[in-house]
Amino acid sequence: MKKISAALDLSLKNLAAYGSLRFTPRQLYYETCRRLKKPKGLNWRAATAVLAAGSLPAVGLASRKTNLSVAILAANALAGGGLLWLRKTPHTLAPPISFKDFENALENYLQNHQRPVGLLAKINDEQPSINYSPIDLPWYGLPRLLVCQSGEIAQMLRANSFHLEASCAVLSLKEASPLHNIFREMMLRAGQSRVFFLHDASFAAFSILPDLRERLEIPESASSLQILGLRPAHAERLHLFIQQGESVGRENLETLSFLSDVEKCWLANGLRAEVAAVNPVRLLRVLRRLVSGASAAQNSLKFSLPPRELGFM
């Protein structure tokens, strides 16, 4: 329990460094898991440090035993490069603790500390929380709408003023099934509005996609629908923590033609990765870019980033 408490405390301090960031208990759980369990291998900075430290004996032997010095340098280069390559290989992680154990640790923490400003209250996904009271809403156009499979993620985005910064309404799937008449009127007023759907990498999420437009009752003449959700490929490239559920029959996955055979096998094993497992700062940054249509920033050091052709993240 002490180890979990220490990781929880460090996670809260790191998230507090972002100032006004708001995050859910589920996101804090995954941040704590990241403190307790690192991905396989080493990132490029750590691998470089290992190479440098391991090469010190070779420097001392360089003037007397050249062959031995070269052998030591080669061995360290292979070790450092191998550990870096291992970090870059796609893989997911099993959570080091259960969410129940985390909740117990968080409860103990809150008994002895003031509640962190950024920590949002746990919500009930079954209870929509949108207020439709402003009578002038239909007079405004709505160019963008983001629908989140998770009510907690929708709450987190609204708490971080994502809807205001991106000029994009944010609803949970429960709140948008179907869309309230006010939202449909606003979308029609905007003309060509765009609807985005953010979902987990899970069989349940992919099962929603074929009938999503009908479920939301989106006005087809005025809106386009774009999927921003996680795929198993994203979960592996981002080294996300995954949850184990019940296995799924392969016959139920045949209609998911946009997934690779490897991804279908991943889902058939009952694996799922939640959007909450993505670092909240990264989630906000990437969603702002994707929803606004801005081009991705170019980065010459792509060690920790998945290929952009994968889509989301």
Side-chain angles (χ1 to χ4, degrees):
M1 183 62 76
K2 289 184 178 180
K3 190 175 181 180
I4 299 176
S5 298
L8 172 59
D9 186 58
L10 180 59
S11 298
L12 286 168
K13 288 179 180 178
N14 289 340
L15 291 173
Y18 292 99
S20 60
L21 177 68
R22 300 294 183 263
F23 48 91
T24 70
R26 196 76 180 174
Q27 289 176 311
L28 179 57
Y29 162 64
Y30 285 114
E31 287 298 310
T32 304
C33 287
R34 274 188 274 275
R35 303 299 160 193
L36 292 170
K37 187 175 184 179
K38 301 292 184 182
K40 301 173 185 177
L42 298 175
N43 59 31
W44 69 274
R45 290 187 179 88
T48 302
V50 168
L51 175 61
S55 299
L56 290 177
V59 175
L61 294 170
S63 60
R64 294 172 295 164
K65 299 181 179 181
T66 304
N67 291 338
L68 180 58
S69 176
V70 171
I72 292 175
L73 286 173
N76 277 285
L78 287 173
L83 290 171
L84 177 60
W85 174 83
L86 186 60
R87 173 62 66 89
K88 297 310 300 173
T89 57
H91 62 271
T92 53
L93 301 169
I97 57 173
S98 67
F99 187 65
K100 183 63 177 178
D101 289 340
F102 165 79
E103 285 186 312
N104 293 335
L106 180 59
E107 185 178 350
N108 291 335
Y109 179 91
L110 295 178
Q111 288 176 355
N112 300 305
H113 299 80
Q114 185 175 1
R115 184 179 182 86
V117 176
L119 181 60
L120 298 170
K122 190 174 181 180
I123 69 166
N124 182 357
D125 265 5
E126 301 297 325
Q127 298 293 330
S129 57
I130 291 294
N131 180 11
Y132 300 101
S133 58
I135 59 175
D136 61 341
L137 273 180
W139 292 100
Y140 295 89
L142 182 63
R144 291 180 286 271
L145 169 65
L146 176 63
V147 179
C148 304
Q149 181 187 2
S150 165
E152 279 197 350
I153 294 298
Q155 175 205 32
M156 174 263 186
L157 293 175
R158 293 194 293 255
N160 284 286
S161 300
F162 175 87
H163 57 304
L164 299 176
E165 295 177 5
S167 299
C168 176
V170 178
L171 300 174
S172 71
L173 185 60
K174 291 283 186 183
E175 293 165 338
S177 299
L179 281 175
H180 194 281
N181 285 334
I182 287 180
F183 284 102
R184 281 202 290 271
E185 290 179 27
M186 294 170 70
M187 292 164 70
L188 289 170
R189 184 174 293 274
Q192 286 298 317
S193 59
R194 291 184 293 164
V195 179
F196 304 89
F197 182 52
L198 178 63
H199 64 77
D200 298 335
S202 68
F203 173 70
F206 290 120
S207 300
I208 295 171
L209 300 185
D211 303 318
L212 180 61
R213 180 178 286 275
E214 290 73 18
R215 178 171 181 170
L216 301 180
E217 295 185 11
I218 299 173
E220 190 166 354
S221 60
S223 306
S224 62
L225 178 61
Q226 183 176 346
I227 307 302
L228 298 183
L230 282 173
R231 288 176 53 164
H234 301 140
E236 293 192 333
R237 294 306 299 268
L238 291 171
H239 303 147
L240 297 185
F241 288 98
I242 57 174
Q243 302 295 327
Q244 178 68 59
E246 296 183 2
S247 59
V248 179
R250 288 301 296 265
E251 65 277 3
N252 297 319
L253 301 170
E254 293 305 318
T255 58
L256 306 179
S257 57
F258 51 87
L259 295 178
S260 67
D261 290 338
V262 173
E263 289 177 306
K264 290 179 182 179
C265 183
W266 194 88
L267 293 173
N269 290 329
L271 301 179
R272 61 185 177 89
E274 300 175 330
V275 170
V278 179
N279 175 271
V281 176
R282 180 169 191 163
L283 178 65
L284 285 166
R285 184 182 74 239
V286 175
L287 284 178
R288 285 193 187 106
R289 173 175 62 82
L290 293 176
V291 168
S292 66
S295 59
Q298 295 300 313
N299 182 3
S300 59
L301 300 177
K302 300 179 181 178
F303 295 105
S304 61
L305 298 178
R308 292 204 171 96
E309 60 266 21
L310 286 177
F312 180 55
M313 295 296 149

